[in-house]
Amino acid sequence: MDRTTAQRGPSGGLGAEHPLVKGLTSRSRLITAYSGRRPDVLPVWFMRQAGRSLPEYRELRISTGMLNACLDPALASEITMQPVRRHGVDAGIFFSDIVVPLKLAGVDVDIVPGKGPVLGKPVRTAADVAALPPVLPEALAPVADGVRATVAELTERGDTPLIGFAGAPFTLAAYLVEGGPSKDHIRARTLMHADPETWHALMAWAADVTGTFLRAQVLAGASAAQLFDSWAGALSLEDYTRHVAPASARALSFVRDLSYPDPEHAADAVSARAVERNVPIVHFGVGTSELLRAMHDIGTDVIGVDYRVPLDEASRRLGNIVPLQGNIDPAYLDAPWPVLEAHVRDVVERGRSAPSHVLNLGHGVPPETDPTVLTRIVELVHGLGE
């Protein structure tokens, strides 16, 4: 879908020094592909590329908790940059966690090693939702500072853009209601149907928290935004469309108005004004093969596809008009190189059915992955051209 719009004022809400406005990242491989055009070289980055499998990351994290690392601007920036330096990927994705904005809003949440996010008290009633505090923009200062530091180093290295990201409202709400990780999110889905008024209030709160978090990253210099819905695959299409999609659209409205001069249309011949393009928005969900069209319809530009559906089939379901991101199966990363290489080449070939494609994983990098394998994939893909 072409999201190019008429000019809405200087830089569409972005500052004059933003890397998209200055033209530092607007012609990069990633942003070109996110805009629906194919660059000369297929861009590639990996979800969860920052940390986990990198020994330099583990060394930094020896005495620092996850949330403390996310909220230390210098540390978060360094962790973000590590895979960019090591692998030569075409994008950095800011090192953070989907529950960071909950923490900054004052919610009692921690990330327990080996378990994941755990809430001090679940949110399950109308009174619980009413008691949730808003996240104030000033509380996001550590995040914005970390983004700015990262963007400064990235632009010194060239045109590599930074991607900001946030958890989608349903995933945040699921954690809040369940009180922690869950296999089926039964309490969250029950609240959705048993008390829809409370559910919608919770989703509105989560949407505003997510939207504020995303906007802070983009205004600080991120050149794209990714909405990550870890648990949407637990939903039927009807439940997603009725009870979840409106909140996700509300979250994205916080960045939907941010735009930059389109480098391919520097001036409109009729009005002699620059044509602007919105900051690219990517939507990715786990187990969401049946939801792809609905996920796109909320106002996203690029759809991330997990490993459960081939890219050519995903593109077909989206009318072959939507840029795609994905979808190497992480299970192949520990396979013999000839097996992995054949899989990567197959993913690249299937991605040609879409207007453009950013190679990525169909989920995150497993912690036990040999980092040299990721570097080798980048070298392979860049050697294939486009």
Side-chain angles (χ1 to χ4, degrees):
M1 181 180 297
D2 185 2
R3 297 287 183 181
T4 303
T5 60
Q7 187 179 30
R8 292 174 292 190
S11 73
L14 300 177
E17 296 301 308
H18 193 283
L20 284 172
V21 177
K22 293 182 71 175
L24 298 176
T25 58
S26 57
R27 294 183 183 274
S28 65
R29 294 168 183 168
L30 183 87
I31 301 304
T32 297
Y34 279 172
S35 301
R37 301 184 285 257
R38 287 189 172 264
D40 294 338
V41 175
L42 183 68
V44 54
W45 67 277
F46 305 104
M47 282 187 286
R48 292 182 181 167
Q49 66 188 16
R52 304 190 79 184
S53 67
L54 299 182
E56 54 265 43
Y57 166 80
R58 290 194 291 269
E59 184 177 346
L60 280 178
R61 284 285 317 283
I62 287 175
S63 59
T64 306
M66 177 65 177
L67 288 178
N68 289 335
C70 293
L71 295 174
D72 181 325
L75 189 56
S77 178
E78 170 59 23
I79 294 171
T80 302
M81 289 301 305
Q82 287 176 346
V84 178
R85 300 187 198 112
R86 178 186 273 261
H87 303 310
V89 287
D90 294 297
I93 183 161
F94 188 61
F95 177 76
S96 191
D97 190 89
I98 60 173
V99 300
V100 164
L102 302 186
K103 183 74 172 180
L104 294 176
V107 174
D108 181 9
V109 60
D110 197 8
I111 299 176
V112 178
K115 186 172 184 179
V118 175
L119 279 293
K121 180 180 181 295
V123 176
R124 295 176 182 168
T125 68
D128 292 339
V129 174
L132 288 169
V135 61
L136 302 176
E138 53 265 32
L140 296 171
V143 175
D145 289 344
V147 169
R148 280 190 283 267
T150 307
V151 169
E153 183 169 350
L154 285 171
T155 53
E156 284 180 1
R157 296 171 57 88
D159 66 353
T160 303
L162 180 69
I163 302 168
F165 91 102
F170 175 72
T171 290
L172 294 185
Y175 275 120
L176 288 165
V177 176
E178 301 290 343
S182 168
K183 292 182 178 180
D184 55 12
H185 320 290
I186 189 67
R187 289 189 179 92
R189 292 188 293 116
T190 296
L191 180 64
M192 177 190 299
H193 298 292
D195 189 351
E197 185 175 347
T198 295
W199 174 257
H200 291 145
L202 175 60
M203 289 292 281
W205 181 88
D208 291 347
V209 166
T210 283
T212 302
F213 186 51
L214 269 182
R215 187 176 181 88
Q217 294 174 72
V218 175
L219 291 179
S223 293
Q226 175 163 293
L227 193 66
F228 193 105
D229 213 340
S230 305
W231 308 131
L235 299 167
S236 68
L237 177 58
E238 181 179 357
D239 282 349
Y240 178 84
T241 303
R242 183 176 180 183
H243 298 290
V244 173
S248 292
R250 176 170 174 158
L252 294 184
S253 71
F254 282 71
V255 293
R256 191 76 234 176
D257 64 315
L258 301 176
S259 62
Y260 65 98
D262 186 347
E264 298 302 313
H265 302 88
D268 185 289
V270 176
S271 65
R273 294 186 302 173
V275 174
E276 299 228 335
R277 180 176 287 274
N278 70 273
V279 173
I281 297 172
V282 185
H283 198 2
F284 172 79
V286 180
T288 53
S289 303
E290 301 304 316
L291 309 180
L292 295 178
R293 186 178 289 275
M295 291 171 63
H296 177 252
D297 287 346
I298 68 170
T300 56
D301 305 295
V302 182
I303 289 293
V305 183
D306 78 358
Y307 56 87
R308 293 169 177 83
V309 58
L311 285 184
D312 50 352
E313 172 59 18
S315 185
R316 185 194 68 79
R317 295 182 186 189
L318 290 162
N320 296 316
I321 60 171
V322 180
L324 297 182
Q325 181 173 277
N327 70 340
I328 297 170
D329 186 342
Y332 278 83
L333 296 179
D334 198 32
W337 175 251
V339 176
L340 173 58
E341 179 182 3
H343 176 57
V344 171
R345 288 178 179 272
D346 181 63
V347 171
V348 170
E349 187 59 34
R350 291 177 185 276
R352 296 188 189 283
S353 61
S356 56
H357 174 211
V358 174
L359 190 76
N360 206 303
L361 298 177
H363 203 184
V365 177
E368 62 275 9
T369 301
D370 179 353
T372 62
V373 171
L374 300 180
T375 304
R376 196 171 181 183
I377 291 174
V378 174
E379 293 171 348
L380 168 65
V381 173
H382 284 171
L384 294 176
E386 183 47 279

